[in-house]
Amino acid sequence: MQVNGQSQQMQVDSRVTLLDALREHLNLTGTKKGCDQGQCGACTVLINGQRVLSCLTLAAQADGADVTSIEGLASTDGDLHPVQRCFMENDAFQCGYCTPGQIMSAVACIKEGHAGSDDEIREYMSGNLCRCGAYPHIVDAIKQAAAEMAKESA
């Protein structure tokens, strides 16, 4: 599989989740193990540009796929992805466990065209749960990032 733009070969047990493969075999610990039951979204990564819960995805299911974790969002020269930058500018951070999954879901939210309104963003992001209180800032960050990404692609 390709992980963050680099070819990776792993030999893992067929029962190993993508989350554990990323964290334990590739040492990419930015993707967090929250509930480990697919209920909190902390483990969200992108496979071929689509968001998935890596705790519910077997590593074997990602064989041959393009996987992006939080470590793969920023450019190689260190420039943050627009969503990362807008999360910072809008103080949209939550706890260290939830923020990476929130950012990965926000990237997918914008790329899949679900950032048209506050309600649409809230609905799309509802799979990422955190007990922190920065949800309104996340909507603002996603709206700003969507506008910036649309400007960049135009």
Side-chain angles (χ1 to χ4, degrees):
M1 73 179 80
Q2 291 280 332
V3 178
N4 300 331
Q6 295 183 346
S7 180
Q8 300 286 346
Q9 292 191 355
M10 292 180 278
Q11 290 192 341
V12 296
D13 186 283
S14 60
R15 297 168 291 178
V16 170
T17 65
L18 179 58
L19 172 62
D20 289 337
L22 292 171
R23 291 182 57 83
E24 296 172 15
H25 295 273
L26 299 178
N27 202 27
L28 296 171
T29 58
T31 303
K32 303 301 184 198
K33 184 180 277 193
C35 67
D36 207 22
Q37 299 176 351
Q39 295 178 349
C40 72
C43 66
T44 304
V45 298
L46 305 179
I47 294 182
N48 298 330
Q50 302 288 313
R51 72 178 176 163
V52 298
L53 298 170
S54 63
C55 73
L56 298 181
T57 304
L58 295 173
Q61 291 176 287
D63 188 26
D66 185 13
V67 177
T68 305
S69 69
I70 190 72
E71 291 93 343
L73 279 187
S75 66
T76 55
D77 64 3
D79 287 339
L80 295 178
H81 185 279
V83 172
Q84 292 173 306
R85 190 169 15 84
C86 291
F87 263 60
M88 288 177 61
E89 291 174 6
N90 287 279
D91 193 25
F93 292 109
Q94 296 191 309
C95 72
Y97 264 80
C98 299
T99 299
Q102 294 275 359
I103 289 174
M104 298 307 291
S105 286
V107 170
C109 174
I110 294 167
K111 287 189 174 183
E112 294 173 15
H114 298 287
S117 70
D118 291 5
D119 287 342
E120 190 177 20
I121 292 169
R122 285 188 190 100
E123 175 67 24
Y124 191 87
M125 297 295 292
S126 65
N128 290 79
L129 303 175
C130 184
R131 291 193 171 99
C132 304
Y135 289 112
H137 300 289
I138 289 174
V139 172
D140 293 341
I142 291 172
K143 288 180 359 188
Q144 181 181 342
E148 290 181 15
M149 291 170 68
K151 218 183 284 182
E152 289 175 7
S153 64

XYZ file of all heavy atoms in Angstrom, residues 15-123:
796
model
N -5.775 -10.442 10.838
C -6.706 -9.814 11.786
C -6.258 -8.433 12.244
O -6.956 -7.773 12.996
C -6.883 -10.716 13.014
C -7.519 -12.065 12.681
C -7.403 -12.994 13.824
N -5.973 -13.342 13.955
C -5.479 -14.129 14.893
N -6.250 -14.636 15.809
N -4.180 -14.390 14.939
N -5.096 -7.975 11.766
C -4.568 -6.676 12.194
C -5.353 -5.551 11.526
O -5.567 -5.556 10.313
C -3.067 -6.552 11.859
C -2.557 -5.136 12.076
C -2.277 -7.547 12.692
N -5.774 -4.607 12.342
C -6.505 -3.472 11.785
C -5.541 -2.482 11.131
O -4.340 -2.475 11.422
C -7.286 -2.717 12.879
O -6.339 -2.140 13.800
C -8.273 -3.629 13.601
N -6.085 -1.658 10.272
C -5.270 -0.621 9.640
C -4.709 0.315 10.706
O -3.552 0.729 10.633
C -6.109 0.161 8.621
C -5.404 1.295 7.899
C -4.171 0.808 7.145
C -6.382 1.991 6.944
N -5.503 0.618 11.720
C -5.039 1.475 12.817
C -3.793 0.894 13.478
O -2.786 1.585 13.646
C -6.144 1.655 13.860
C -5.757 2.355 15.155
C -5.305 3.782 14.883
C -6.911 2.328 16.143
N -3.840 -0.384 13.833
C -2.688 -1.005 14.487
C -1.505 -1.128 13.534
O -0.359 -0.976 13.952
C -3.072 -2.368 15.060
C -3.982 -2.244 16.277
O -3.964 -1.166 16.922
O -4.711 -3.200 16.573
N -1.767 -1.371 12.265
C -0.674 -1.450 11.291
C 0.033 -0.100 11.180
O 1.267 -0.038 11.160
C -1.210 -1.883 9.928
N -0.740 0.973 11.124
C -0.133 2.309 11.029
C 0.660 2.629 12.290
O 1.798 3.079 12.215
C -1.217 3.379 10.816
C -1.941 3.353 9.479
C -3.118 4.319 9.492
C -0.997 3.681 8.336
N 0.052 2.401 13.437
C 0.690 2.790 14.701
C 1.842 1.865 15.096
O 2.900 2.336 15.484
C -0.348 2.822 15.833
C -1.358 3.951 15.690
C -2.344 3.986 16.861
N -1.671 4.116 18.127
C -1.250 5.270 18.656
N -1.465 6.389 18.008
N -0.655 5.293 19.825
N 1.630 0.571 14.979
C 2.603 -0.378 15.531
C 3.636 -0.861 14.516
O 4.744 -1.191 14.894
C 1.864 -1.571 16.138
C 1.001 -1.157 17.321
C 0.107 -2.264 17.828
O 0.325 -3.435 17.463
O -0.832 -1.947 18.590
N 3.271 -0.903 13.251
C 4.212 -1.406 12.247
C 4.912 -0.279 11.491
O 6.028 -0.458 11.025
C 3.500 -2.355 11.275
C 3.004 -3.599 11.943
N 3.785 -4.715 12.109
C 1.809 -3.877 12.527
C 3.094 -5.644 12.748
N 1.885 -5.154 13.029
N 4.240 0.854 11.320
C 4.850 1.973 10.591
C 5.211 3.132 11.506
O 5.721 4.148 11.053
C 3.905 2.451 9.472
C 3.569 1.400 8.408
C 2.602 1.971 7.381
C 4.835 0.895 7.728
N 4.910 2.990 12.798
C 5.221 4.023 13.795
C 4.601 5.380 13.454
O 5.167 6.431 13.731
C 6.736 4.154 13.996
C 7.068 4.781 15.328
O 6.299 4.668 16.280
N 8.200 5.459 15.398
N 3.420 5.348 12.839
C 2.678 6.584 12.556
C 1.635 6.732 13.656
O 0.495 6.288 13.536
C 2.033 6.513 11.162
C 3.011 6.438 10.004
C 2.294 6.156 8.688
C 3.808 7.740 9.911
N 2.018 7.357 14.737
C 1.175 7.410 15.932
C 0.231 8.606 15.967
O -0.465 8.808 16.954
C 2.051 7.403 17.196
O 2.948 8.517 17.133
C 2.842 6.110 17.317
N 0.192 9.383 14.897
C -0.734 10.518 14.848
C -2.181 10.075 14.799
O -3.070 10.754 15.301
N -2.446 8.943 14.187
C -3.791 8.374 14.160
C -4.029 7.730 15.513
O -3.264 6.889 15.951
C -3.923 7.331 13.034
O -3.583 7.953 11.800
C -5.334 6.791 12.957
N -5.079 8.158 16.177
C -5.295 7.746 17.565
C -6.288 6.613 17.700
O -7.234 6.496 16.932
C -5.790 8.942 18.400
C -4.871 10.132 18.373
C -3.493 9.806 18.874
C -2.615 11.042 18.920
N -1.211 10.720 18.978
N -6.044 5.799 18.719
C -6.978 4.736 19.087
C -7.848 5.294 20.202
O -7.400 5.426 21.330
C -6.225 3.498 19.557
C -7.142 2.316 19.856
C -6.374 1.102 20.331
C -5.839 0.356 19.131
N -5.339 -0.995 19.489
N -9.063 5.672 19.858
C -9.979 6.234 20.856
C -10.803 5.121 21.470
O -10.363 4.419 22.372
N -11.991 4.916 20.942
C -12.898 3.908 21.496
C -12.577 2.507 20.992
O -12.975 1.526 21.596
C -14.340 4.263 21.155
S -14.714 4.140 19.385
N -11.898 2.410 19.866
C -11.557 1.120 19.232
C -12.808 0.336 18.844
O -12.767 -0.874 18.713
C -10.644 0.288 20.144
C -9.755 -0.679 19.357
O -9.513 -0.443 18.149
O -9.308 -1.675 19.944
N -13.932 1.041 18.685
C -15.190 0.400 18.296
C -15.887 1.165 17.173
O -17.062 0.944 16.897
C -16.130 0.315 19.499
C -15.574 -0.506 20.622
C -16.490 -0.501 21.835
O -17.464 0.236 21.915
N -16.165 -1.336 22.804
N -15.195 2.136 16.568
C -15.782 2.884 15.467
C -16.826 3.900 15.867
O -17.627 4.328 15.033
N -16.818 4.303 17.122
C -17.852 5.228 17.573
C -17.370 6.661 17.758
O -18.182 7.571 17.811
C -18.444 4.726 18.888
C -19.161 3.420 18.730
C -19.713 2.901 20.040
O -19.395 3.416 21.117
N -20.536 1.880 19.963
N -16.061 6.886 17.853
C -15.589 8.238 18.179
C -14.904 8.956 17.012
O -14.796 10.174 17.016
C -14.646 8.203 19.376
S -13.015 7.499 19.050
N -14.414 8.247 16.024
C -13.789 8.875 14.860
C -12.346 9.295 15.058
O -11.743 9.857 14.139
N -11.767 9.036 16.219
C -10.386 9.459 16.475
C -9.391 8.786 15.536
O -8.309 9.297 15.298
C -10.005 9.173 17.925
N -9.753 7.649 14.977
C -8.842 6.875 14.134
C -9.049 7.132 12.645
O -8.542 6.384 11.811
C -9.024 5.391 14.424
S -10.665 4.784 13.939
N -9.754 8.189 12.294
C -10.094 8.445 10.891
C -8.853 8.682 10.041
O -7.989 9.478 10.394
C -11.035 9.665 10.788
O -12.190 9.428 11.593
C -11.454 9.915 9.341
N -8.782 7.978 8.925
C -7.756 8.184 7.901
C -8.475 8.205 6.553
O -9.675 7.942 6.470
C -6.673 7.081 7.908
C -5.923 7.048 9.230
C -7.254 5.723 7.576
N -7.741 8.517 5.520
C -8.317 8.501 4.174
C -7.753 7.312 3.417
O -6.541 7.074 3.447
C -7.979 9.792 3.434
C -8.368 11.106 4.116
C -7.937 12.282 3.255
C -9.851 11.160 4.400
N -8.611 6.567 2.761
C -8.184 5.527 1.819
C -8.707 5.948 0.464
O -9.919 6.121 0.277
C -8.729 4.132 2.198
C -8.118 3.669 3.512
C -8.428 3.128 1.079
C -8.566 2.270 3.944
N -7.781 6.152 -0.452
C -8.126 6.640 -1.790
C -9.009 7.882 -1.711
O -9.960 8.030 -2.469
C -8.777 5.533 -2.621
C -7.845 4.368 -2.838
O -6.628 4.535 -2.881
N -8.398 3.179 -2.959
N -8.716 8.742 -0.743
C -9.420 10.010 -0.592
C -10.724 9.936 0.174
O -11.343 10.967 0.424
N -11.177 8.748 0.549
C -12.428 8.585 1.293
C -12.098 8.331 2.760
O -11.172 7.582 3.076
C -13.226 7.398 0.745
C -13.559 7.503 -0.721
C -14.616 8.563 -0.985
O -15.627 8.611 -0.295
N -14.366 9.417 -1.964
N -12.882 8.918 3.655
C -12.591 8.705 5.069
C -13.029 7.307 5.488
O -14.066 6.802 5.028
C -13.245 9.768 5.937
C -14.732 9.654 6.068
C -15.256 10.725 6.993
N -16.724 10.650 7.037
C -17.447 11.204 7.955
N -16.877 11.906 8.912
N -18.749 11.103 7.938
N -12.237 6.717 6.345
C -12.568 5.412 6.915
C -12.154 5.416 8.378
O -11.279 6.177 8.791
C -11.865 4.234 6.203
C -12.273 4.123 4.758
C -10.363 4.327 6.348
N -12.795 4.580 9.139
C -12.408 4.366 10.530
C -11.383 3.252 10.519
O -11.710 2.088 10.259
C -13.631 4.008 11.373
C -14.708 5.088 11.425
C -15.968 4.547 12.084
C -14.195 6.319 12.139
N -10.143 3.602 10.796
C -9.075 2.608 10.670
C -9.156 1.517 11.720
O -8.591 0.449 11.529
C -7.710 3.286 10.685
O -7.479 3.938 11.913
N -9.901 1.743 12.807
C -10.041 0.684 13.814
C -11.002 -0.407 13.347
O -10.996 -1.496 13.885
C -10.485 1.250 15.162
S -12.206 1.786 15.242
N -11.827 -0.089 12.350
C -12.776 -1.073 11.825
C -12.357 -1.587 10.458
O -13.103 -2.320 9.809
C -14.182 -0.462 11.727
C -14.826 -0.012 13.031
C -16.219 0.556 12.763
C -14.901 -1.165 14.018
N -11.189 -1.192 9.997
C -10.703 -1.578 8.675
C -9.486 -2.474 8.847
O -8.546 -2.108 9.557
C -10.302 -0.325 7.870
O -11.421 0.566 7.816
C -9.861 -0.689 6.463
N -9.510 -3.622 8.232
C -8.350 -4.501 8.300
C -7.248 -3.951 7.408
O -7.523 -3.391 6.337
C -8.726 -5.914 7.860
C -9.725 -6.643 8.767
C -10.138 -7.966 8.138
C -9.144 -6.850 10.155
N -6.015 -4.131 7.827
C -4.882 -3.670 7.023
C -4.931 -4.307 5.639
O -4.619 -3.657 4.636
C -3.569 -3.983 7.730
N -5.347 -5.557 5.579
C -5.422 -6.257 4.291
C -6.404 -5.591 3.337
O -6.226 -5.655 2.120
C -5.812 -7.711 4.525
N -7.424 -4.937 3.861
C -8.392 -4.252 3.008
C -7.774 -3.042 2.320
O -8.306 -2.560 1.333
C -9.604 -3.803 3.836
C -10.460 -4.935 4.335
C -11.579 -4.430 5.232
O -11.347 -4.039 6.371
N -12.783 -4.436 4.684
N -6.689 -2.539 2.854
C -6.020 -1.375 2.270
C -4.884 -1.780 1.332
O -4.176 -0.916 0.817
C -5.486 -0.466 3.375
N -4.730 -3.086 1.120
C -3.666 -3.566 0.228
C -3.856 -2.934 -1.158
O -4.925 -3.017 -1.751
C -3.722 -5.093 0.140
C -2.540 -5.660 -0.615
O -1.470 -5.021 -0.640
O -2.689 -6.753 -1.202
N -2.826 -2.285 -1.646
C -2.873 -1.643 -2.954
C -3.522 -0.266 -2.957
O -3.595 0.380 -3.997
N -3.986 0.194 -1.816
C -4.685 1.481 -1.731
C -3.720 2.612 -1.367
O -2.598 2.381 -0.943
C -5.795 1.398 -0.678
N -4.211 3.814 -1.522
C -3.476 5.017 -1.132
C -4.041 5.480 0.212
O -5.179 5.936 0.286
C -3.653 6.090 -2.198
C -2.829 7.324 -1.931
O -1.941 7.279 -1.064
O -3.080 8.342 -2.601
N -3.260 5.320 1.261
C -3.695 5.660 2.616
C -3.051 6.983 3.024
O -1.843 7.167 2.849
C -3.293 4.553 3.622
C -3.676 4.941 5.045
C -3.920 3.228 3.225
N -3.860 7.874 3.563
C -3.337 9.138 4.086
C -3.694 9.237 5.560
O -4.862 9.153 5.935
C -3.930 10.355 3.340
O -3.699 10.205 1.942
C -3.305 11.650 3.831
N -2.679 9.400 6.375
C -2.892 9.631 7.804
C -2.605 11.106 8.089
O -2.176 11.847 7.204
C -1.978 8.732 8.645
O -0.631 9.138 8.501
N -2.802 11.511 9.315
C -2.578 12.912 9.674
C -1.138 13.336 9.366
O -0.901 14.490 9.002
C -2.937 13.167 11.162
C -2.957 14.654 11.497
C -2.011 12.409 12.099
C -4.116 15.408 10.922
N -0.211 12.406 9.451
C 1.191 12.737 9.156
C 1.404 13.079 7.684
O 2.396 13.701 7.335
C 2.110 11.569 9.534
C 2.223 11.318 11.021
C 1.215 10.292 11.530
O 0.221 10.001 10.825
O 1.433 9.774 12.644
N 0.488 12.657 6.832
C 0.654 12.857 5.398
C -0.045 14.084 4.843
O -0.016 14.316 3.634
N -0.674 14.880 5.683
C -1.419 16.036 5.172
C -0.522 17.217 4.817
O -0.697 17.840 3.776
C -2.463 16.507 6.188
C -3.772 15.754 6.224
C -4.746 16.455 7.165
C -4.380 15.592 4.850
N 0.393 17.554 5.672
C 1.258 18.710 5.409
C 2.176 18.388 4.232
O 2.505 17.231 3.975
C 2.091 19.037 6.650
N 2.580 19.402 3.507
C 3.479 19.179 2.373
C 4.873 18.821 2.883
O 5.201 19.048 4.052
C 3.526 20.426 1.488
O 4.107 21.486 2.189
N 5.674 18.280 2.014
C 7.010 17.848 2.429
C 7.894 19.018 2.850
O 8.855 18.824 3.587
C 7.699 17.053 1.307
O 7.697 17.848 0.119
C 6.989 15.734 1.061
N 7.563 20.230 2.393
C 8.354 21.391 2.815
C 7.854 21.979 4.132
O 8.346 23.019 4.583
C 8.410 22.449 1.720
C 7.058 23.042 1.388
O 6.060 22.683 2.046
O 6.990 23.872 0.462
N 6.870 21.325 4.753
C 6.403 21.748 6.065
C 5.186 22.642 6.061
O 4.664 22.971 7.126
N 4.727 23.051 4.872
C 3.508 23.869 4.824
C 2.316 23.026 5.244
O 2.112 21.927 4.737
C 3.276 24.414 3.412
C 4.247 25.516 3.049
O 4.829 26.128 3.968
O 4.421 25.763 1.844
N 1.530 23.558 6.162
C 0.362 22.840 6.641
C -0.708 22.767 5.558
O -0.819 23.666 4.711
C -0.212 23.524 7.882
C 0.664 23.522 9.127
C -0.026 24.277 10.257
C 0.991 22.098 9.566
N -1.507 21.715 5.619
C -2.685 21.588 4.762
C -3.638 22.731 5.162
O -3.666 23.131 6.327
C -3.330 20.224 5.024
C -4.479 19.919 4.136
N -5.742 20.414 4.360
C -4.559 19.177 3.008
C -6.552 19.969 3.417
N -5.852 19.212 2.578
N -4.425 23.258 4.217
C -5.350 24.349 4.578
C -6.248 24.020 5.768
O -6.540 24.909 6.583
C -6.165 24.557 3.300
C -5.264 24.112 2.201
C -4.452 22.978 2.774
N -6.687 22.777 5.893
C -7.547 22.423 7.032
C -6.761 22.522 8.335
O -7.272 23.056 9.328
C -8.159 21.018 6.857
C -8.887 20.577 8.127
C -9.122 21.000 5.671
N -5.528 22.049 8.342
C -4.704 22.171 9.557
C -4.505 23.643 9.918
O -4.635 24.035 11.074
C -3.346 21.501 9.337
C -3.410 20.005 9.200
C -2.081 19.407 8.807
O -1.478 19.803 7.812
N -1.612 18.449 9.597
N -4.186 24.445 8.914
C -3.953 25.874 9.156
C -5.228 26.550 9.676
O -5.179 27.339 10.624
C -3.464 26.547 7.863
C -2.975 27.956 8.052
C -2.259 28.535 6.833
N -2.410 27.841 5.582
C -3.433 27.986 4.733
N -4.397 28.810 5.029
N -3.482 27.306 3.607
N -6.366 26.227 9.068
C -7.625 26.859 9.489
C -8.065 26.378 10.866
O -8.692 27.135 11.608
C -8.710 26.617 8.441
S -8.392 27.511 6.901
N -7.766 25.146 11.227
C -8.039 24.695 12.594
C -7.238 25.547 13.577
O -7.752 25.963 14.608
C -7.690 23.209 12.761
C -8.868 22.282 12.618
C -9.608 22.245 11.445
C -9.240 21.442 13.655
C -10.690 21.389 11.310
C -10.327 20.586 13.541
C -11.046 20.556 12.366
N -5.985 25.833 13.251
C -5.165 26.671 14.132
C -5.724 28.085 14.196
O -5.880 28.652 15.274
C -3.720 26.704 13.632
C -2.963 25.417 13.849
S -1.292 25.440 13.193
C -0.581 26.783 14.138
N -6.042 28.666 13.045
C -6.501 30.052 13.001
C -7.847 30.237 13.696
O -8.142 31.323 14.184
C -6.589 30.529 11.543
C -5.230 30.677 10.885
C -5.308 31.009 9.415
O -6.422 31.235 8.891
O -4.238 31.028 8.769
N -8.667 29.194 13.714
C -9.995 29.287 14.321
C -10.061 28.659 15.713
O -11.150 28.504 16.252
C -11.025 28.626 13.404
C -11.309 29.457 12.179
O -12.090 30.396 12.230
N -10.646 29.146 11.077
N -8.918 28.293 16.277
C -8.880 27.672 17.602
C -9.855 26.497 17.663
O -10.652 26.364 18.583
C -9.209 28.702 18.686
C -8.868 28.200 20.085
O -7.983 27.327 20.198
O -9.502 28.663 21.040
N -9.778 25.643 16.647
C -10.714 24.526 16.534
C -10.162 23.226 17.107
O -10.737 22.171 16.891
C -11.080 24.319 15.062
N -9.082 23.301 17.835
C -8.494 22.091 18.392
C -9.341 21.538 19.513
O -9.943 22.274 20.277
C -7.084 22.354 18.914
C -6.127 22.651 17.809
C -5.637 23.921 17.641
C -5.747 21.660 16.920
C -4.762 24.193 16.620
C -4.882 21.934 15.889
C -4.384 23.201 15.733
N -9.335 20.228 19.577
C -9.930 19.555 20.708
C -8.801 18.810 21.388
O -7.650 19.171 21.226
C -11.058 18.659 20.221
C -12.168 19.513 19.596
C -13.418 18.755 19.335
O -13.392 17.710 18.736
N -14.521 19.299 19.796
N -9.110 17.769 22.081
C -8.033 17.078 22.780
C -7.099 16.411 21.780
O -7.409 16.268 20.606
C -8.598 16.059 23.752
S -9.319 14.611 22.955
N -5.944 16.002 22.241
C -4.947 15.404 21.366
C -5.400 14.115 20.720
O -4.911 13.736 19.666
N -6.344 13.440 21.332
C -6.854 12.211 20.747
C -7.846 12.495 19.629
O -7.903 11.777 18.654
C -7.499 11.321 21.819
C -6.539 10.300 22.319
C -5.578 10.634 23.254
C -6.555 9.014 21.817
C -4.656 9.713 23.691
C -5.640 8.073 22.256
C -4.697 8.428 23.180
O -3.786 7.517 23.607
N -8.607 13.517 19.742
C -9.690 13.755 18.783
C -9.287 14.626 17.599
O -9.830 14.462 16.507
C -10.865 14.403 19.496
S -11.536 13.360 20.799
N -8.371 15.525 17.777
C -8.049 16.481 16.725
C -7.567 15.832 15.424
O -8.048 16.218 14.351
C -7.035 17.525 17.235
O -7.640 18.225 18.327
C -6.676 18.514 16.153
N -6.671 14.856 15.437
C -6.261 14.276 14.147
C -7.438 13.683 13.358
O -7.543 13.892 12.145
C -5.254 13.188 14.540
C -4.723 13.633 15.861
C -5.882 14.296 16.548
N -8.317 12.967 14.035
C -9.482 12.395 13.360
C -10.425 13.471 12.855
O -11.003 13.352 11.769
N -10.580 14.545 13.654
C -11.426 15.663 13.218
C -10.864 16.281 11.941
O -11.605 16.590 11.009
C -11.500 16.734 14.319
C -12.185 16.307 15.581
C -13.692 16.466 15.541
O -14.248 16.917 14.549
N -14.353 16.091 16.613
N -9.569 16.484 11.905
C -8.944 17.103 10.728
C -9.085 16.195 9.510
O -9.417 16.663 8.410
C -7.469 17.450 11.030
C -7.420 18.633 12.008
C -6.697 17.760 9.749
C -6.035 18.991 12.512
N -8.864 14.887 9.678
C -8.988 13.980 8.534
C -10.424 13.956 8.019
O -10.661 13.951 6.812
C -8.514 12.574 8.916
C -7.047 12.501 9.316
S -5.904 13.211 8.102
C -6.053 12.036 6.764
N -11.397 13.957 8.920
C -12.800 13.995 8.492
C -13.125 15.326 7.816
O -13.895 15.365 6.854
C -13.740 13.782 9.682
O -13.719 12.435 10.078
N -12.545 16.407 8.306
C -12.788 17.719 7.704
C -12.246 17.776 6.273
O -12.897 18.336 5.383
C -12.148 18.822 8.559
N -11.091 17.182 6.050
C -10.541 17.132 4.684
C -11.518 16.387 3.773
O -11.843 16.850 2.667
C -9.147 16.467 4.671
C -8.689 16.181 3.249
C -8.131 17.340 5.399
N -12.007 15.234 4.221
C -12.955 14.464 3.422
C -14.267 15.215 3.246
O -14.870 15.183 2.167
C -13.200 13.104 4.073
N -14.701 15.914 4.286
C -15.934 16.708 4.227
C -15.870 17.700 3.076
O -16.797 17.820 2.273
C -16.143 17.432 5.565
S -17.527 18.581 5.634
N -14.767 18.373 2.970
C -14.602 19.380 1.908
C -14.459 18.709 0.555
O -15.132 19.077 -0.411
C -13.383 20.271 2.217
C -13.644 21.091 3.474
C -13.058 21.172 1.020
C -12.410 21.771 4.048
N -13.607 17.689 0.465
C -13.363 17.030 -0.823
C -14.610 16.329 -1.353
O -14.787 16.205 -2.553
C -12.209 16.038 -0.700
C -10.866 16.739 -0.598
C -9.722 15.773 -0.703
C -8.426 16.567 -0.742
N -7.263 15.726 -0.908
N -15.460 15.850 -0.472
C -16.672 15.158 -0.897
C -17.843 16.127 -1.091
O -18.956 15.706 -1.372
C -17.032 14.063 0.116
C -15.998 12.941 0.160
C -16.248 11.932 1.257
O -17.352 11.896 1.830
O -15.309 11.166 1.557
N -17.594 17.429 -0.919
C -18.611 18.435 -1.194
C -19.680 18.581 -0.135
O -20.823 18.906 -0.452
N -19.318 18.369 1.130
C -20.308 18.473 2.205
C -20.079 19.703 3.089
O -20.496 19.706 4.247
C -20.275 17.216 3.072
C -20.619 15.972 2.320
N -21.896 15.684 1.905
C -19.845 14.958 1.859
C -21.901 14.541 1.245
N -20.664 14.089 1.204
N -19.432 20.729 2.561
C -19.151 21.918 3.374
C -19.989 23.105 2.917
O -19.592 24.247 3.070
C -17.655 22.244 3.314
N -21.180 22.836 2.390
C -22.017 23.901 1.847
C -22.723 24.749 2.878
O -23.067 25.896 2.612
N -22.965 24.211 4.052
C -23.653 24.979 5.092
C -23.194 24.483 6.454
O -22.629 23.391 6.574
C -25.175 24.810 4.980
O -25.547 23.493 5.350
N -23.481 25.263 7.478
C -23.124 24.861 8.838
C -23.786 23.531 9.207
O -23.157 22.648 9.782
C -23.539 25.927 9.858
C -22.710 27.205 9.755
O -21.872 27.304 8.832
O -22.924 28.099 10.592
N -25.073 23.388 8.852
C -25.789 22.150 9.181
C -25.199 20.953 8.445
O -25.090 19.861 9.008
C -27.279 22.280 8.843
C -28.017 23.184 9.814
O -27.484 23.436 10.913
O -29.122 23.645 9.461
N -24.809 21.153 7.179
C -24.215 20.058 6.411
C -22.876 19.646 7.026
O -22.575 18.464 7.145
C -24.032 20.489 4.956
C -23.645 19.368 4.031
C -23.549 19.827 2.583
O -23.414 21.039 2.325
O -23.589 18.961 1.717
N -22.082 20.620 7.422
C -20.792 20.328 8.058
C -21.020 19.586 9.366
O -20.382 18.572 9.637
C -19.984 21.624 8.289
C -19.545 22.229 6.951
C -18.783 21.348 9.201
C -18.979 23.635 7.060
N -21.950 20.074 10.183
C -22.233 19.412 11.472
C -22.681 17.972 11.260
O -22.258 17.064 11.977
C -23.298 20.179 12.246
C -22.777 21.441 12.865
C -23.825 22.083 13.796
N -23.379 23.391 14.183
C -23.804 24.528 13.628
N -24.738 24.515 12.693
N -23.321 25.689 14.026
N -23.545 17.736 10.272
C -24.032 16.386 9.992
C -22.882 15.485 9.565
O -22.741 14.359 10.058
C -25.113 16.422 8.898
C -25.595 15.053 8.453
C -26.359 14.280 9.530
O -26.904 14.906 10.443
O -26.381 13.034 9.442
